[in-house]
Amino acid sequence: MRMPLPERLREHAQGYNGTVVEPRHASTIIVVRDGADGIEAFLMRRQTSMAFAAGMYVFPGGGMHPSDIADEVPWAGPSPAGWARRLDCDESLARGLVVAAVRETFEETGVLLAGPDESTVLSDTSGVDMQAARVTLEAGELTFAEFLRSHGLVLRSDLIGAWAHWITPTFEPRRYDTRFFVAALPEGQRVGEMSREADHASWALLRDVLARVESGEAAMMPPTVVACREVAEHTAETILAAAAERTIRTIEPRLVEIDGDLFLETDLGDLA
């Protein structure tokens, strides 16, 4: 696959001096629901002041915290050992990536993939206590394990599926080693107040948002574009089954110059 380099990345590419920054582990969840006209995903536009992906539409997510690995998070569903095999990493990192995915999604959207036990999921997170917990979690004043235990909840790792693995290109000054997951919006839950990192957020019909990106009306990083194209082929009801059948390959786009123009190239096949 070869994609034109997004305009917001050109300054980084043109000023690249050969220094390669070690990427930080991160997780993101593509939260979907079935709308009247097809599958929709929740997307946020990052503030233009943000150091990474400023002004870009992204899925909920962010960097892994030390407590995501260190703390014993109440857990139900596939074990960290099983996730380690699925994500092709060690058990400690796999646990941290899953916890980070669920934690960041709750912090940024209020969607919580957790329940009182392994067979139930919370149906409403709109209460004052839950919404206040989003703020304290984001501020680092509370760990996700502490939050779950205080509410008698367990993380439901069976409600998410592994989708993709992307690493930020070497020319970027901020780099992330990101696992992409998918999840359907739990019945009864709704998105809460918008994260401070975003200036716009909404449910988007995937085929429409892709058309907006193609026309230049919206901006996305290549991994987000590819994920939207792939997820658009499914429904919220079938998304976890589709995830289970995927082969997860590590993708790290390369910067290439062709006829004086800059592109990001991967080995996915040419979609341009």
Side-chain angles (χ1 to χ4, degrees):
M1 182 186 77
R2 184 179 300 147
M3 299 181 67
L5 187 69
E7 193 62 37
R8 289 174 174 84
L9 300 185
R10 288 183 178 273
E11 182 179 349
H12 293 163
Q14 291 165 347
Y16 180 54
N17 63 5
T19 302
V20 179
V21 176
E22 186 70 20
R24 178 186 176 189
H25 287 293
S27 298
T28 184
I29 297 186
I30 309 164
V31 181
V32 299
R33 69 181 187 184
D34 289 325
D37 297 315
I39 190 169
E40 301 173 345
F42 189 74
L43 287 162
M44 307 181 302
R45 186 175 63 197
R46 288 172 64 83
Q47 297 272 9
T48 55
S49 59
M50 299 299 291
F52 183 80
M56 299 279 188
Y57 280 88
V58 298
F59 304 117
M64 188 173 67
H65 293 177
S67 63
D68 294 333
I69 290 180
D71 289 6
E72 287 297 324
V73 173
W75 188 287
S79 67
W83 277 104
R85 291 188 292 272
R86 182 70 177 118
L87 299 175
D88 192 25
C89 64
D90 65 55
E91 185 174 333
S92 177
L93 177 57
R95 179 173 61 250
L97 290 167
V98 170
V99 173
V102 177
R103 173 185 55 75
E104 285 279 346
T105 298
F106 178 59
E107 287 179 13
E108 295 190 346
T109 71
V111 173
L112 182 58
L113 301 167
D117 53 48
E118 71 279 358
S119 60
T120 55
V121 61
L122 210 61
S123 60
D124 184 8
T125 63
S126 63
V128 173
D129 185 43
M130 281 283 173
Q131 293 303 305
R134 294 175 57 196
V135 177
T136 53
L137 280 166
E138 188 174 12
E141 299 169 1
L142 181 72
T143 70
F144 197 56
E146 291 168 340
F147 162 71
L148 291 176
R149 284 196 295 267
S150 69
H151 288 80
L153 300 171
V154 294
L155 181 153
R156 289 282 307 274
S157 76
D158 57 313
L159 296 180
I160 67 174
W163 194 263
H165 180 197
W166 288 75
I167 300 177
T168 309
T170 55
F171 68 84
E172 283 270 40
R174 290 176 180 263
R175 302 182 66 226
Y176 292 90
D177 184 333
T178 305
R179 264 49 176 226
F180 284 66
F181 299 89
V182 292
L185 178 70
E187 185 175 355
Q189 289 195 27
R190 63 179 187 270
V191 173
E193 186 176 338
M194 188 168 57
S195 165
R196 291 178 297 176
E197 295 184 358
D199 63 12
H200 177 77
S202 65
W203 289 97
L205 184 64
L206 286 180
R207 65 169 178 265
D208 286 353
V209 78
L210 286 167
R212 291 180 61 211
V213 171
E214 186 69 24
S215 69
E217 296 177 43
M220 282 182 178
M221 302 285 277
T224 313
V225 174
V226 172
C228 285
R229 287 175 178 170
E230 293 173 338
V231 171
E233 299 298 318
H234 304 282
T235 67
E237 185 177 355
T238 63
I239 197 67
L240 288 184
E245 296 178 355
R246 288 176 63 84
T247 298
I248 307 298
R249 293 186 295 132
T250 302
I251 305 166
E252 184 175 346
R254 303 174 297 275
L255 184 67
V256 296
E257 183 175 350
I258 300 175
D259 296 331
D261 207 354
L262 296 173
F263 295 84
L264 288 175
E265 188 173 74
T266 72
D267 60 356
L268 293 180
D270 196 354
L271 298 179

